[in-house]
Amino acid sequence: YYLYAIIICPSGQGGQYNNHDDEYNGQEIQVVERALILAKSIYNIDTARVYLMGFSWGGRETIHYGLDHYKLFKGLIPFAPAFQSIADANNGFAIPWANPFKYTNGKYIPTCICVGKNDGMYSNIIQGYNNLVSANAIVNFNEIPGVGHTPVFPTFNLEIMKCFNFINKSSTSGLADNLPSDNILSLY
């Protein structure tokens, strides 16, 4: 598979969320927002074909930020989203901010969760998935056998392409029917 895409991969603080009063509105999210603005100013980006993808804590924030700002994206791909506990997945995380996951917005944006079956946070991730299902979200669970929390990228190209295909077929915007047959995608 060839993925003709602009990929922006900002690196955050590595889970040092306690250094911020509000991670969600803090510097790590601002890095993503500024990266998208910069990419749009440099490249000709089809804004109807922008996907949000993140790994681990970035996967958790993909769900959080993506559901809150679903109009900005065609779909969400959280890879091994680091829900810290069942309580976290259920909007009861005790970190100093209270920004609940807006699971009900999942009905407006396709979400494809990728997770290794051997991920230590698997049960937490399943709970987040179940919350999306309960909220009538457009969601797919892409389980990868024999993989833990930290896979070696880009080993799972086919799994990621399954997510793009799910999102394109499930798009609530009606844009999926109007996409060209190529695999040109915009990612950040």
Side-chain angles (χ1 to χ4, degrees):
Y1 290 95
Y2 291 97
L3 183 64
Y4 300 96
I6 297 169
I7 300 173
I8 303 170
C9 302
S11 180
Q13 296 296 313
Q16 297 174 10
Y17 49 80
N18 290 325
N19 291 338
H20 311 293
D21 292 332
D22 185 352
E23 180 78 17
Y24 178 63
N25 291 316
Q27 69 183 25
E28 291 195 2
I29 293 300
Q30 289 175 17
V31 168
V32 173
E33 291 171 337
R34 289 177 184 159
L36 182 58
I37 290 167
L38 179 62
K40 286 178 180 180
S41 73
I42 296 172
Y43 302 105
N44 182 17
I45 294 178
D46 182 350
T47 58
R49 296 167 67 187
V50 176
Y51 301 75
L52 181 62
M53 179 179 177
F55 167 71
S56 193
W57 191 264
R60 181 188 184 281
E61 290 303 305
T62 292
I63 295 172
H64 198 254
Y65 185 80
L67 291 176
D68 199 32
H69 297 88
Y70 65 88
K71 291 180 180 180
L72 297 177
F73 308 105
K74 183 169 183 67
L76 309 176
I77 305 176
F79 201 110
F83 289 108
Q84 301 299 292
S85 63
I86 298 292
D88 179 23
N90 289 335
N91 286 320
F93 201 20
I95 288 180
W97 63 89
N99 290 311
F101 294 98
K102 295 181 181 175
Y103 291 119
T104 56
N105 286 349
K107 63 185 166 230
Y108 304 119
I109 184 165
T111 301
C112 183
I113 299 173
C114 285
V115 62
K117 177 67 176 161
N118 298 341
D119 191 320
M121 294 186 219
Y122 186 84
S123 60
N124 305 343
I125 296 167
I126 287 287
Q127 185 61 47
Y129 167 75
N130 288 337
N131 290 339
L132 283 163
V133 169
S134 294
N136 296 314
I138 305 162
V139 62
N140 183 52
F141 194 78
N142 192 352
E143 181 181 278
I144 307 169
V147 173
H149 184 70
T150 307
V152 178
F153 288 104
T155 308
F156 302 102
N157 295 341
L158 292 177
E159 287 80 1
I160 299 299
M161 286 308 298
K162 287 178 190 176
C163 285
F164 285 120
N165 290 334
F166 166 77
I167 290 168
N168 288 335
K169 290 176 184 171
S170 304
S171 177
T172 59
S173 66
L175 295 170
D177 296 333
N178 300 322
L179 288 176
S181 59
D182 61 20
N183 286 329
I184 300 173
L185 303 170
S186 301
L187 304 168
Y188 85 90

